[in-house]
Amino acid sequence: MTRALTIAGLVLFLLVILVPFWWIASMSFKTYEQIQFATTIYVPKPFTWENYTGLWSETRFPLWLRNSVVTALVVTLISTVVAALAGYAVARIRFPGREAVASIILIVYLIPPALLFIPLYRVLAELGATNSLFALFLSYPTFTVPFCTWLLIGFFKALPDELEEAALIDGAGRITAFVRVLLPLAAPGLVASAIFAFTLSWNEFLYALVFIQDEKALTVPVGLNLLIYGDVFHWGQLMAASVITTLPVVALYMFIHRWMAEGLVAGGVKG
Amino acid sequence: MPSHHLSRRTVLAGALGASAALALPRLGFPAVKKGTSLRLWILKTYVEPTNKAIEASAQRWAQKHGAAVTVEYFTFEDMQTKYVAAIESNSTPDVGQLETSAPSRFAGMGQLLDLTSFSKQIESQAGKAPANVAPVTMMDGKVYSIPWYVMGAFWYVWRDVFEKAKVKLPGTFAEAKEAAQALTRPKDNFYGMGQSWNRTADGYGVMQSLMYSHGVGWAGKDGKYKSIKTPQMQTVMKWATDIYTNQLQPADTLTWTGSGNNENFIAKNIAQTSNGPSITFAMENAVAKATDAKDKKMKEDALANHVALPHLGGPDGRRMQAIAMSMGVFKGSKDPEAAMSLIAHLVSPEETVMVMKDSYGQFAPVLEKAKTASKDYFNKNDNYRTFGRAAEWFAPTGWPGPVTAAAAEVQASNLLTDAPAKVIVDKWSVDQAIEWEDKKIKEIYDTLRA
Amino acid sequence: MTRDAGALALGAPARRGRPRRGRQRTRDLGTAALFLLPLFVLVLGLIFYPFYRAVWLSFTDKLVGYPERFVGLRNYEYLAQDDAFHQVIRNSFVFTIVSVGLKIVTGIGMALVLNGIIRGRNFFRGLFLLPWITSTVIIALTWRWMFDAFPGRGFFNSVLLDVGLLRQPIAFMATPEGAMMAVIVANWWRGFPFFGVSFLAGMASIPRETYEAASVDGAGAGRRFWHITLPGLKHVIIVTTLLSFIMTINDFNIIYVMTRGGPGSATQVFATYSYQVAFQQLRWGRGVTISIFLVPLLVVGIILISRYLLRDRSGK
């Protein structure tokens, strides 16, 4: 009985989760007429690639994609470095105020972007960073770093103490111990953290919307938002854009979904 | 005239403008230093060829003077935010295309150069703008931008549908509502009208046209707040909300995005709607992209059957709130003379006509000589002739007063479209909605800082 | 108690090992300071400083293009009597409470289902997390289309019309209730996998012996669930709920892209209203004040989260 319930539940969840994805993907392969006049509902007939080609050649999507990639890579780099350093210090170095720092990281993580976007806009404007990707390079770490640090604290803590001790006994300094011994071992954690940072950066919308107005410097989410609210209606292209935007994250995610689940847990549930 | 603030800023702006004007040679146009580089902001319309045409025009100027122009775009959606951002971060362009309420708004902030003398030179070259459009460019009696064109809104109808049902084509809002009642066939998924009170120009623009055509304005001729609790406003609100009852419109009309009414009209789900020429553009495009003979015939028929009527009138006249585009020079510009030269080039009759050719009827030139020069272009067919007349019916935001920052904020605060929504969605009474709207408008005028 | 949260983050018992000698200790401190420097610069410059500026701005009448003037509590007073803001508060709480409630229930269901399968559990767990990693803008667009009244685009309308259950498309998002339902669904769909995965991990930490003992005593699956699973998950549920509550009440993306706060102001929430006031009406003073109203709630949330993490620690 419970077995049947479990299977039923599984199927239900699969449907709930996959149907929306399928709907979008399927529409991305339909022609304008099929969508406009609802000629075929479930399966695109004829199946067409024109939305994808049109998206690529007629809109600024390739540019936005490039911007998103560049931003995500730069932010990932910054975040991983900052988070690794801070995470290591909090996890492995006993210094006064250690617990306070960990608390601050948690608190900062919980401050919502919706609160900061206005004053942050002014700060970035004063730095001359607005209207370019620099605004994102500076602002994105504010939410990626706390999360990644929290994650890495967990990872570093899980490594045995003895390793560093051995290195320190051998006369190596802290920094060498960190770089030569800890980092390589924490590699899976670093990878997970990097992919988190990439995903968070890839999907961000509010800051990109507010800080950048130049159409050539937009990222994908903001560009898509622009397309949908215009007077022209290339629905198929929008769907195609959605598919293309989701694929990289899904691909990356394949590698680390185990860590992701555990990372979420590490972030949300301690003990 | 509203009192103005930060007199020091205005004085500075005036001084800059005056000195720039004084620096102009008596005859002929501003001189341009070779190698000057200017930033130009223009509106990205829904018609891509038009955007390219304007850019090309700017490049022609650049070539002629050995200068450089970088063109950047803003869209209908981010018109406000883009300029706001630039003002706050001191990165305004040299020349900016300004929509209806922008010149007075930015001039009030001291951001625009005084172009009064320059505008006189333009007058001699390209003619004057009609009296109903000129106020857009002025504040406190000074001119801060050069008007270029009006992007009109028109009342689109399906002629064949009207003919079949023997209903007269509407000239007023009242007639349109009656026609909708006669034409609506919910069972066939066909509706008499598609007017959304959404937060786009299709919404707040039509609401203003509705109000102004009934003689209702929230500001007086002096630009100060005036109460809208009048019988005429009752008529206006009733019209705005009655069309949502009796199944005159599709059920989701209120939630349409900017393209919702386009799509529904082109799909022949609705008989009437207000829109800019982009509907015609879409249909002309469809003919060009037709796949086979049968498809082509169908699309040509559609093109022939759709009519763009002048925007509806009311008991007080035919007034159409629309986007009036003008060009201004920002005070941060390092080369105001070159900026003015660029503007003179863009609004000249020759260049205007070249842009018109690729505009699919979207722009109705405002300056007389440009208007005359583009007459042939608009003579294409009835729809285009109507497009060309857009400037005739233009009424600016804040009618009958001048365009002020407060008027602009009323439009930007979504009050105009939220009020009918409260009746339609929250089931308020018409009186309550008007009362609320009036109170909110007064608040804006009271608290908008001086 | 936040210090304890910090201690808890560091987890486990104090490190064993040789006590550090004086010089090493100072060097440690120095290294720690060095390692923490980038984080501090980031946090101070781009989080605490803007936060301080936000508070300052809320006491001014900053209007774009003009320098600000100090006006004391005027913005707060205005918002307190602004009926649009009252609606924003109502909407935000309805949106958050319903969505989080649904997420809790679905999360439990998802955890139970995943817990019940052994082969392929990791695979399905990964699959079910897909909504969580997708861009919220795309999720918002997706659900906007799912609920669309235009049959070619709207999934529900297409299917219902096709099957014959409907003769006319339903405009789901045209009414305030419908629009609120639609944004809640989008937010729920996106968020419940997080709950499910957390609860699954929580379930894994309930000792098997407890279940076995209960079965031996004759307790059926239902009773085992109510008396063992749920209490065992209590801590996880609370922490996850608090986190999600904070995230959801501050949501911008989903509502902005799906409805822009409409129809009318039916789905206007704190973040979208703040954006509208600041960037369309150009009133930054007031716009920031809207967001600041949530700070007390945020503080309470943080304190509660810390306390629960603390209770867990002392319980061990």
Side-chain angles (χ1 to χ4, degrees):
Chain A
M1 177 57 197
T2 23
R3 189 76 194 154
L5 269 180
T6 310
I7 303 284
L10 192 66
V11 170
L12 191 65
F13 275 107
L14 277 175
L15 281 176
V16 164
I17 289 183
L18 294 178
V19 162
F21 286 110
W22 159 76
W23 185 245
I24 299 303
S26 137
M27 264 206 278
S28 75
F29 293 114
K30 289 185 187 167
T31 59
Y32 175 74
E33 281 73 26
Q34 284 179 57
I35 301 179
Q36 181 79 345
F37 299 109
T39 48
T40 60
I41 298 179
Y42 303 106
V43 181
K45 223 191 318 198
F47 186 98
T48 173
W49 286 98
E50 70 183 29
N51 292 318
Y52 289 86
T53 51
L55 182 71
W56 213 262
S57 55
E58 291 165 25
T59 66
R60 287 205 195 272
F61 185 72
L63 189 59
W64 298 335
L65 205 56
R66 192 208 68 172
N67 291 335
S68 278
V69 170
V70 168
T71 307
L73 287 176
V74 171
V75 170
T76 301
L77 188 64
I78 297 176
S79 310
T80 314
V81 168
V82 174
L85 289 173
Y88 173 72
V90 172
R92 309 291 279 197
I93 305 180
R94 298 172 74 197
F95 60 90
R98 193 173 168 218
E99 290 170 7
V101 171
S103 308
I104 290 179
I105 293 175
L106 174 65
I107 292 173
V108 164
Y109 173 52
L110 293 175
I111 296 181
L115 174 60
L116 291 179
F117 73 95
I118 299 174
L120 199 51
Y121 177 83
R122 299 192 78 189
V123 171
L124 291 172
E126 283 157 17
L127 290 173
T130 47
N131 214 24
S132 77
L133 294 179
F134 272 104
L136 305 185
F137 297 164
L138 291 175
S139 57
Y140 280 11
T142 59
F143 52 84
T144 54
V145 165
F147 190 80
C148 291
T149 309
W150 192 258
L151 185 70
L152 284 175
I153 289 177
F155 269 101
F156 280 126
K157 273 238 63 64
L159 298 175
D161 302 341
E162 293 68 44
L163 295 163
E164 269 156 302
E165 301 234 8
L168 288 167
I169 291 169
D170 284 349
R174 269 289 187 186
I175 300 183
T176 324
F178 175 59
V179 172
R180 289 269 177 84
V181 179
L182 263 289
L183 272 191
L185 286 170
L190 291 173
V191 169
S193 161
I195 295 188
F196 262 109
F198 189 92
T199 306
L200 285 175
S201 168
W202 186 260
N203 293 339
E204 205 280 333
F205 178 62
L206 177 59
Y207 284 172
L209 176 73
V210 170
F211 300 153
I212 302 182
Q213 285 75 38
D214 185 2
E215 225 200 53
K216 291 194 278 288
L218 296 177
T219 54
V220 171
V222 184
L224 291 190
N225 176 64
L226 204 66
L227 285 182
I228 190 187
Y229 282 93
D231 204 40
V232 201
F233 29 100
H234 288 302
W235 298 112
Q237 283 182 0
L238 269 172
M239 313 287 174
S242 301
V243 171
I244 296 180
T245 312
T246 311
L247 283 179
V249 180
V250 171
L252 276 178
Y253 171 71
M254 286 307 175
F255 284 111
I256 56 115
H257 70 80
R258 247 197 78 206
W259 300 119
M260 182 141 231
E262 285 169 28
L264 281 183
V265 173
V269 184
K270 260 307 182 175
Chain B
M1 278 290 173
S3 64
H4 279 284
H5 21 271
L6 296 168
S7 47
R8 225 200 295 163
R9 280 217 179 175
T10 329
V11 165
L12 263 174
L16 262 175
S19 56
L22 284 173
L24 297 177
R26 280 279 114 165
L27 297 160
F29 277 102
V32 181
K33 296 189 280 279
K34 253 192 161 50
T36 302
S37 178
L38 293 183
R39 283 170 64 223
L40 167 68
W41 279 19
I42 57 180
L43 170 71
K44 185 173 215 251
T45 69
Y46 303 130
V47 179
E48 190 59 22
T50 317
N51 308 330
K52 295 216 163 56
I54 300 183
E55 219 180 308
S57 176
Q59 296 304 342
R60 279 193 288 277
W61 172 88
Q63 280 227 331
K64 196 156 79 167
H65 294 271
V69 174
T70 321
V71 175
E72 291 167 33
Y73 289 101
F74 57 89
T75 65
F76 286 106
E77 259 262 309
D78 67 12
M79 270 196 294
Q80 300 276 13
T81 49
K82 199 168 167 123
Y83 276 110
V84 162
I87 289 174
E88 274 295 315
S89 56
N90 281 325
S91 58
T92 48
D94 295 278
V95 177
Q97 197 176 34
L98 304 168
E99 51 101 14
T100 317
S101 46
S104 78
R105 224 172 179 186
F106 299 153
M109 295 177 194
Q111 289 285 331
L112 297 176
L113 293 189
D114 181 347
L115 299 177
T116 315
S117 342
F118 178 54
S119 72
K120 298 238 173 3
Q121 296 197 341
I122 297 288
E123 255 176 56
S124 63
Q125 185 208 29
K128 271 166 95 141
N132 58 335
V133 179
V136 161
T137 62
M138 297 181 18
M139 196 190 81
D140 280 341
K142 297 201 184 61
V143 175
Y144 288 95
S145 64
I146 308 297
W148 197 8
Y149 56 80
V150 165
M151 293 185 72
F154 305 92
W155 196 252
Y156 275 88
V157 301
W158 282 108
R159 192 212 325 267
D160 54 347
V161 170
F162 274 77
E163 279 175 1
K164 197 151 159 216
K166 298 205 179 20
V167 177
K168 195 182 83 156
L169 295 181
T172 67
F173 284 97
E175 287 172 7
K177 188 168 128 201
E178 277 174 35
Q181 263 152 355
L183 296 172
T184 202
R185 288 187 326 260
K187 284 208 198 67
D188 301 329
N189 241 346
F190 182 80
Y191 296 87
M193 199 190 297
Q195 174 53 46
S196 175
W197 300 124
N198 58 22
R199 294 170 172 187
T200 69
D202 286 340
Y204 60 69
V206 177
M207 173 53 81
Q208 287 179 71
S209 304
L210 179 64
M211 287 169 78
Y212 303 156
S213 298
H214 282 76
V216 179
W218 66 77
K221 282 216 171 82
D222 56 358
K224 290 208 170 61
Y225 155 81
K226 194 178 81 171
S227 172
I228 56 170
K229 297 200 283 208
T230 63
Q232 291 83 7
M233 186 62 190
Q234 291 264 341
T235 315
V236 164
M237 194 60 84
K238 282 214 176 69
W239 191 97
T241 53
D242 281 350
I243 56 178
Y244 278 83
T245 58
N246 304 329
Q247 295 198 296
L248 291 183
Q249 307 194 124
D252 65 339
T253 304
L254 198 58
T255 60
W256 285 349
T257 62
S259 59
N261 62 332
N262 298 48
E263 295 178 305
N264 276 283
F265 184 79
I266 295 181
K268 238 173 173 164
N269 291 342
I270 55 179
Q272 314 174 76
T273 191
S274 166
N275 209 66
S278 56
I279 287 187
T280 306
F281 167 65
M283 297 181 85
E284 288 181 359
N285 243 9
V287 169
K289 286 208 185 118
T291 47
D292 56 38
K294 190 172 107 172
D295 193 38
K296 195 163 183 184
K297 176 95 183 44
M298 211 170 66
K299 302 223 159 90
E300 279 171 346
D301 282 343
L303 190 61
N305 268 319
H306 91 294
V307 180
L309 299 170
H311 210 264
L312 302 171
D316 203 61
R318 186 187 303 275
R319 297 201 178 88
M320 170 196 78
Q321 195 272 356
I323 298 180
M325 282 299 189
S326 54
M327 310 292 293
V329 180
F330 279 85
K331 77 173 200 300
S333 173
K334 297 204 175 44
D335 195 340
E337 282 194 28
M340 284 187 257
S341 163
L342 174 58
I343 294 181
H345 168 94
L346 289 171
V347 307
S348 66
E350 307 80 42
E351 288 295 326
T352 306
V353 168
M354 292 196 69
V355 170
M356 292 307 128
K357 288 216 181 88
D358 278 323
S359 72
Y360 287 82
Q362 287 190 102
F363 306 159
V366 163
L367 299 172
E368 256 196 82
K369 297 206 178 132
K371 239 173 125 173
T372 329
S374 54
K375 231 176 163 172
D376 284 332
Y377 169 74
F378 284 109
N379 239 341
K380 214 198 283 196
N381 59 41
D382 276 337
N383 283 349
Y384 275 78
R385 276 187 279 276
T386 312
F387 293 159
R389 294 174 60 195
E392 268 178 52
W393 312 301
F394 174 79
T397 309
W399 179 92
V403 185
T404 59
E409 181 169 349
V410 169
Q411 180 178 293
S413 65
N414 300 319
L415 284 179
L416 302 172
T417 48
D418 280 355
K422 286 203 183 296
V423 175
I424 298 163
V425 168
D426 297 330
K427 307 284 186 260
W428 284 19
S429 75
V430 164
D431 284 320
Q432 279 177 303
I434 296 179
E435 175 90 38
W436 174 84
E437 190 179 348
D438 183 65
K439 182 177 112 182
K440 287 290 184 183
I441 292 178
K442 181 158 193 302
E443 254 172 28
I444 289 180
Y445 275 79
D446 285 344
T447 61
L448 191 64
R449 89 124 93 185
Chain C
M1 88 228 88
T2 47
R3 264 190 53 130
D4 291 308
L8 205 52
L10 302 173
R15 246 173 2 126
R16 276 170 279 109
R18 290 193 315 194
R20 296 258 156 276
R21 295 206 205 97
R23 238 183 41 198
Q24 179 65 39
R25 195 168 236 154
T26 325
R27 234 191 290 154
D28 275 1
L29 191 56
T31 318
L34 187 69
F35 278 29
L36 287 172
L37 190 64
L39 180 75
F40 275 156
V41 167
L42 180 77
V43 168
L44 276 169
L46 292 172
I47 299 180
F48 284 166
Y49 176 61
F51 183 81
Y52 154 76
R53 291 279 290 261
V55 175
W56 165 244
L57 255 185
S58 75
F59 298 125
T60 71
D61 67 348
K62 172 75 187 156
L63 186 65
V64 174
Y66 301 88
E68 60 247 38
R69 294 182 306 194
F70 183 79
V71 292
L73 293 174
R74 196 203 292 175
N75 291 325
Y76 292 87
E77 286 162 359
Y78 176 85
L79 286 174
Q81 58 81 48
D82 177 21
D83 52 286
F85 189 56
H86 295 161
Q87 180 163 19
V88 163
I89 298 177
R90 274 197 308 272
N91 293 340
S92 303
F93 277 95
V94 167
F95 174 66
T96 307
I97 293 175
V98 175
S99 178
V100 172
L102 287 174
K103 285 189 258 192
I104 295 176
V105 172
T106 319
I108 293 179
M110 175 176 151
L112 284 174
V113 165
L114 284 177
N115 206 33
I117 57 177
I118 298 161
R119 264 188 329 157
R121 179 187 295 174
N122 275 350
F123 169 74
F124 283 111
R125 184 182 64 173
L127 197 62
F128 289 179
L129 266 180
L130 276 179
W132 209 85
I133 61 161
T134 310
S135 156
T136 43
V137 170
I138 291 183
I139 292 181
L141 287 178
T142 301
W143 281 96
R144 202 197 143 90
W145 291 321
M146 294 284 283
F147 283 113
D148 206 313
F150 217 80
R153 281 199 302 274
F155 172 75
F156 294 113
N157 277 311
S158 294
V159 169
L160 291 173
L161 280 169
D162 196 47
V163 168
L165 279 170
L166 275 187
R167 218 159 306 150
Q168 308 268 29
I170 299 180
F172 291 104
M173 295 174 61
T175 60
E177 301 79 27
M180 180 58 85
M181 180 240 0
V183 294
I184 287 177
V185 167
N187 183 276
W188 158 82
W189 186 83
R190 198 252 171 184
F192 78 72
F194 173 60
F195 281 68
V197 164
S198 300
F199 295 170
L200 182 67
M203 276 182 195
S205 65
I206 300 176
R208 237 189 319 147
E209 298 78 46
T210 329
Y211 284 112
E212 285 166 7
S215 312
V216 162
D217 282 351
R223 300 235 349 244
R224 289 205 298 275
F225 174 73
W226 277 110
H227 295 282
I228 301 176
T229 316
L230 269 189
L233 284 180
K234 198 173 79 157
H235 162 93
V236 186
I237 293 180
I238 291 176
V239 173
T240 316
T241 301
L242 283 172
L243 278 175
S244 179
F245 195 92
I246 292 179
M247 300 296 167
T248 306
I249 205 166
N250 280 294
D251 185 57
F252 176 81
N253 301 2
I254 288 185
I255 293 187
Y256 182 74
V257 173
M258 273 186 95
T259 62
R260 287 281 199 273
S265 317
T267 53
Q268 190 85 287
V269 292
F270 286 103
T272 54
Y273 191 50
S274 172
Y275 177 79
Q276 177 188 309
V277 168
F279 284 89
Q280 281 166 355
Q281 290 180 253
L282 310 184
R283 295 186 186 239
W284 283 16
R286 199 188 285 175
V288 156
T289 312
I290 293 167
S291 306
I292 290 191
F293 265 87
L294 274 178
V295 168
L297 198 75
L298 197 67
V299 169
V300 169
I302 292 176
I303 293 177
L304 283 176
I305 291 180
S306 309
R307 186 166 293 166
Y308 271 98
L309 291 178
L310 164 69
R311 197 180 293 172
D312 170 58
R313 183 208 202 196
S314 61
K316 277 213 170 343

